[in-house]
Amino acid sequence: MMDTNSSRDLVREEDSAGCAACAWNLVFCEPGLLSEARGCRDSPGLAAMQGLPFGSCLPISDGPFNNSTGIPFFYMTAKDPVVADLMKNPTASLMLPESEGEFCRKNIVDPEDPRCVRLTLTGQMIAVSPEEVEFAKQAMFSRHPGMRKWPRQYEWFFMKMRIEHIWLLKWYGGVSNISKEEYFKAVPRKA
């Protein structure tokens, strides 16, 4: 999705389809809101939420800054009820708001203003294959170095989203449906 040496060299670029904004949002927006259908009955206090939508703010990465892929990776633990839910029903959505981005801050625009981009990806959450674990480690730990020190007893592992649909809100008047082909060829441009 991109090849650059530093996040500081990138700016949000406008294009007619909004694909560069998609790329920009995935690279720079932290955290993402992962939502799924609550299915876990075994956790105390969560049984009443059975079948209801549930969201968790999670750190994400689509690769090291010099090798962004567009595929969101996650560092998860099976002890999290969200993971138990995803094992039963892997369908999820990931919403990435631009509220942390430079555009909204520099222009003193409220993060809920439609000019502050909101990217939503939907798809299937899957465990990363053994062949991809090294890349997933580089992806997550290069952007979130503190994760390396998280307690081992939580049995951390990597997941990723197999993207099926992409929606982008970047202006007044509704969302744009972005094709996977357009999305994966998008590149945030260097300043």
Side-chain angles (χ1 to χ4, degrees):
M1 190 168 188
M2 74 177 232
D3 185 10
T4 186
N5 292 324
S6 169
S7 64
R8 291 183 203 95
D9 295 337
L10 298 173
V11 296
R12 189 176 109 181
E13 178 181 296
E14 296 301 326
D15 61 8
S16 60
C19 296
C22 291
W24 191 95
N25 251 42
L26 188 57
V27 171
F28 296 107
C29 295
E30 287 287 335
L33 176 65
L34 185 74
S35 298
E36 43 81 26
R38 174 80 15 198
C40 186
R41 298 175 197 215
D42 303 333
S43 297
L46 297 180
M49 295 180 64
Q50 178 87 13
L52 297 176
F54 188 80
S56 296
C57 287
L58 298 171
I60 60 164
S61 176
D62 74 328
F65 281 116
N66 66 350
N67 189 14
S68 179
T69 65
I71 299 169
F73 288 87
F74 305 83
Y75 196 42
M76 309 288 268
T77 174
K79 297 179 187 241
D80 185 336
V82 168
V83 174
D85 291 341
L86 291 169
M87 294 301 166
K88 293 175 185 170
N89 178 2
T91 302
S93 67
L94 175 64
M95 197 275 286
L96 300 158
E98 186 190 9
S99 58
E100 297 299 316
E102 291 295 312
F103 175 81
C104 298
R105 256 194 306 248
K106 280 184 180 176
N107 294 294
I108 311 171
V109 177
D110 187 286
E112 295 305 315
D113 186 305
R115 292 173 292 172
C116 289
V117 173
R118 284 189 288 274
L119 173 66
T120 301
L121 307 172
T122 62
Q124 304 295 308
M125 292 292 292
I126 58 173
V128 168
S129 70
E131 298 81 31
E132 288 184 292
V133 166
E134 195 54 44
F135 181 81
K137 277 184 190 176
Q138 291 174 9
M140 292 305 297
F141 298 159
S142 67
R143 298 207 191 177
H144 308 283
M147 287 180 163
R148 291 181 193 270
K149 297 178 182 177
W150 285 5
R152 298 276 181 237
Q153 69 266 27
Y154 285 90
E155 301 170 11
W156 300 98
F157 69 102
F158 297 96
M159 292 185 84
K160 68 179 184 177
M161 178 180 276
R162 186 182 310 131
I163 298 170
E164 295 172 354
H165 302 281
I166 301 117
W167 290 281
L168 180 70
L169 176 65
K170 68 174 189 136
W171 198 249
Y172 301 98
V175 297
S176 299
N177 188 4
I178 307 294
S179 74
K180 288 192 286 185
E181 179 181 77
E182 289 176 295
Y183 171 77
F184 282 113
K185 72 180 179 185
V187 178
R189 73 174 168 83
K190 287 187 179 186

Short mmCIF file of all heavy atoms in Angstrom, two decimals, residues 2-13 24 27-28 65-66 102 106 187-191:
data_model
loop_
_atom_site.label_atom_id
_atom_site.label_comp_id
_atom_site.label_asym_id
_atom_site.label_seq_id
_atom_site.Cartn_x
_atom_site.Cartn_y
_atom_site.Cartn_z
N MET A 2 2.01 1.23 0.70
CA MET A 2 2.88 2.40 0.64
C MET A 2 4.30 2.02 0.94
O MET A 2 4.58 0.98 1.49
CB MET A 2 2.42 3.48 1.60
CG MET A 2 2.70 3.20 3.05
SD MET A 2 2.21 4.58 4.05
CE MET A 2 3.69 4.82 4.96
N ASP A 3 5.22 2.88 0.55
CA ASP A 3 6.62 2.67 0.82
C ASP A 3 7.23 4.03 1.14
O ASP A 3 7.45 4.84 0.26
CB ASP A 3 7.31 2.05 -0.38
CG ASP A 3 8.75 1.70 -0.10
OD1 ASP A 3 9.16 1.78 1.08
OD2 ASP A 3 9.46 1.35 -1.04
N THR A 4 7.46 4.29 2.40
CA THR A 4 8.06 5.55 2.82
C THR A 4 8.87 5.29 4.08
O THR A 4 8.71 4.27 4.72
CB THR A 4 6.99 6.63 3.07
OG1 THR A 4 7.67 7.86 3.34
CG2 THR A 4 6.07 6.30 4.21
N ASN A 5 9.73 6.20 4.42
CA ASN A 5 10.62 5.98 5.55
C ASN A 5 10.11 6.55 6.86
O ASN A 5 10.55 6.16 7.91
CB ASN A 5 12.00 6.57 5.25
CG ASN A 5 12.68 5.81 4.16
OD1 ASN A 5 12.54 4.59 4.09
ND2 ASN A 5 13.40 6.49 3.30
N SER A 6 9.22 7.50 6.82
CA SER A 6 8.78 8.13 8.07
C SER A 6 7.36 8.60 7.97
O SER A 6 6.93 9.14 6.96
CB SER A 6 9.69 9.32 8.37
OG SER A 6 9.15 10.08 9.42
N SER A 7 6.64 8.44 9.07
CA SER A 7 5.26 8.91 9.10
C SER A 7 5.21 10.42 8.96
O SER A 7 4.23 10.97 8.48
CB SER A 7 4.59 8.48 10.40
OG SER A 7 5.23 9.09 11.50
N ARG A 8 6.23 11.12 9.36
CA ARG A 8 6.22 12.58 9.29
C ARG A 8 6.30 13.08 7.85
O ARG A 8 6.04 14.24 7.58
CB ARG A 8 7.38 13.15 10.10
CG ARG A 8 7.19 12.94 11.58
CD ARG A 8 8.32 13.59 12.37
NE ARG A 8 8.42 12.94 13.65
CZ ARG A 8 9.25 11.94 13.92
NH1 ARG A 8 10.06 11.48 13.01
NH2 ARG A 8 9.27 11.40 15.10
N ASP A 9 6.71 12.23 6.91
CA ASP A 9 6.82 12.62 5.51
C ASP A 9 5.50 12.53 4.77
O ASP A 9 5.43 12.83 3.59
CB ASP A 9 7.82 11.73 4.77
CG ASP A 9 9.23 11.90 5.30
OD1 ASP A 9 9.52 12.96 5.89
OD2 ASP A 9 10.03 10.97 5.12
N LEU A 10 4.45 12.07 5.45
CA LEU A 10 3.20 11.82 4.76
C LEU A 10 2.17 12.89 5.06
O LEU A 10 2.11 13.41 6.16
CB LEU A 10 2.65 10.46 5.16
CG LEU A 10 3.54 9.29 4.79
CD1 LEU A 10 2.99 8.01 5.38
CD2 LEU A 10 3.67 9.16 3.30
N VAL A 11 1.35 13.18 4.08
CA VAL A 11 0.24 14.10 4.26
C VAL A 11 -1.01 13.45 3.72
O VAL A 11 -0.95 12.55 2.89
CB VAL A 11 0.48 15.45 3.53
CG1 VAL A 11 1.66 16.17 4.12
CG2 VAL A 11 0.65 15.25 2.04
N ARG A 12 -2.15 13.93 4.20
CA ARG A 12 -3.41 13.42 3.67
C ARG A 12 -3.61 14.01 2.29
O ARG A 12 -3.47 15.19 2.08
CB ARG A 12 -4.56 13.83 4.58
CG ARG A 12 -5.84 13.14 4.20
CD ARG A 12 -6.90 13.51 5.17
NE ARG A 12 -7.84 14.37 4.49
CZ ARG A 12 -8.90 14.90 5.05
NH1 ARG A 12 -9.14 14.70 6.30
NH2 ARG A 12 -9.69 15.66 4.37
N GLU A 13 -3.92 13.17 1.33
CA GLU A 13 -4.13 13.62 -0.04
C GLU A 13 -5.57 13.41 -0.42
O GLU A 13 -6.16 12.39 -0.11
CB GLU A 13 -3.22 12.79 -0.97
CG GLU A 13 -3.37 13.13 -2.42
CD GLU A 13 -2.47 12.26 -3.28
OE1 GLU A 13 -1.25 12.37 -3.15
OE2 GLU A 13 -3.01 11.47 -4.07
N TRP A 24 -4.32 6.91 4.21
CA TRP A 24 -3.86 7.81 5.25
C TRP A 24 -4.46 7.42 6.59
O TRP A 24 -3.78 7.35 7.60
CB TRP A 24 -4.25 9.24 4.87
CG TRP A 24 -3.61 10.28 5.72
CD1 TRP A 24 -2.47 10.96 5.45
CD2 TRP A 24 -4.08 10.76 6.97
NE1 TRP A 24 -2.21 11.84 6.46
CE2 TRP A 24 -3.18 11.74 7.42
CE3 TRP A 24 -5.18 10.46 7.77
CZ2 TRP A 24 -3.32 12.41 8.61
CZ3 TRP A 24 -5.34 11.13 8.97
CH2 TRP A 24 -4.41 12.10 9.37
N VAL A 27 -2.97 4.21 8.15
CA VAL A 27 -1.60 4.39 8.60
C VAL A 27 -1.53 5.20 9.90
O VAL A 27 -0.76 4.89 10.79
CB VAL A 27 -0.75 5.08 7.50
CG1 VAL A 27 0.61 5.48 8.03
CG2 VAL A 27 -0.60 4.16 6.30
N PHE A 28 -2.37 6.23 10.04
CA PHE A 28 -2.19 7.18 11.13
C PHE A 28 -3.22 7.19 12.22
O PHE A 28 -3.01 7.81 13.24
CB PHE A 28 -2.08 8.59 10.56
CG PHE A 28 -0.87 8.74 9.70
CD1 PHE A 28 -0.99 8.83 8.34
CD2 PHE A 28 0.39 8.73 10.26
CE1 PHE A 28 0.12 8.93 7.54
CE2 PHE A 28 1.51 8.83 9.47
CZ PHE A 28 1.38 8.93 8.11
N PHE A 65 6.05 1.44 9.05
CA PHE A 65 5.84 2.65 8.25
C PHE A 65 6.43 2.53 6.85
O PHE A 65 5.93 3.13 5.91
CB PHE A 65 6.40 3.88 8.95
CG PHE A 65 5.50 4.39 10.04
CD1 PHE A 65 5.90 4.37 11.36
CD2 PHE A 65 4.24 4.89 9.73
CE1 PHE A 65 5.06 4.84 12.36
CE2 PHE A 65 3.39 5.35 10.73
CZ PHE A 65 3.81 5.32 12.04
N ASN A 66 7.49 1.76 6.68
CA ASN A 66 8.10 1.63 5.36
C ASN A 66 7.50 0.50 4.52
O ASN A 66 7.98 0.21 3.43
CB ASN A 66 9.61 1.45 5.47
CG ASN A 66 9.98 0.14 6.15
OD1 ASN A 66 9.12 -0.55 6.70
ND2 ASN A 66 11.25 -0.19 6.13
N GLU A 102 -3.81 15.33 11.58
CA GLU A 102 -3.39 16.72 11.48
C GLU A 102 -4.47 17.62 10.89
O GLU A 102 -4.61 18.76 11.29
CB GLU A 102 -2.12 16.82 10.63
CG GLU A 102 -0.89 16.24 11.30
CD GLU A 102 -0.51 17.03 12.55
OE1 GLU A 102 -0.45 18.26 12.50
OE2 GLU A 102 -0.29 16.38 13.59
N LYS A 106 -5.21 21.02 12.77
CA LYS A 106 -4.72 22.26 12.14
C LYS A 106 -5.84 23.19 11.74
O LYS A 106 -5.70 24.40 11.81
CB LYS A 106 -3.88 21.93 10.90
CG LYS A 106 -2.48 21.50 11.21
CD LYS A 106 -1.72 21.29 9.91
CE LYS A 106 -0.31 20.86 10.19
NZ LYS A 106 0.43 20.56 8.96
N VAL A 187 -2.09 5.04 -2.03
CA VAL A 187 -0.83 5.37 -1.37
C VAL A 187 -0.93 6.76 -0.77
O VAL A 187 -1.20 7.72 -1.51
CB VAL A 187 0.34 5.34 -2.37
CG1 VAL A 187 1.65 5.73 -1.71
CG2 VAL A 187 0.46 3.99 -3.03
N PRO A 188 -0.67 6.92 0.55
CA PRO A 188 -0.56 8.28 1.07
C PRO A 188 0.69 8.90 0.44
O PRO A 188 1.72 8.25 0.39
CB PRO A 188 -0.38 8.09 2.58
CG PRO A 188 -0.66 6.67 2.85
CD PRO A 188 -0.49 5.93 1.56
N ARG A 189 0.60 10.13 -0.04
CA ARG A 189 1.76 10.69 -0.73
C ARG A 189 2.69 11.38 0.24
O ARG A 189 2.31 11.83 1.32
CB ARG A 189 1.31 11.64 -1.82
CG ARG A 189 0.78 12.95 -1.34
CD ARG A 189 0.50 13.88 -2.51
NE ARG A 189 -0.26 15.02 -2.05
CZ ARG A 189 0.29 16.09 -1.49
NH1 ARG A 189 1.59 16.16 -1.34
NH2 ARG A 189 -0.47 17.08 -1.08
N LYS A 190 3.97 11.47 -0.16
CA LYS A 190 4.96 12.15 0.64
C LYS A 190 4.75 13.65 0.55
O LYS A 190 4.32 14.16 -0.47
CB LYS A 190 6.37 11.82 0.15
CG LYS A 190 6.80 10.41 0.48
CD LYS A 190 8.25 10.23 0.11
CE LYS A 190 8.67 8.83 0.47
NZ LYS A 190 10.08 8.61 0.28
N ALA A 191 5.11 14.35 1.62
CA ALA A 191 4.99 15.82 1.64
C ALA A 191 6.07 16.44 0.78
O ALA A 191 7.10 15.89 0.54
CB ALA A 191 5.09 16.32 3.07
#
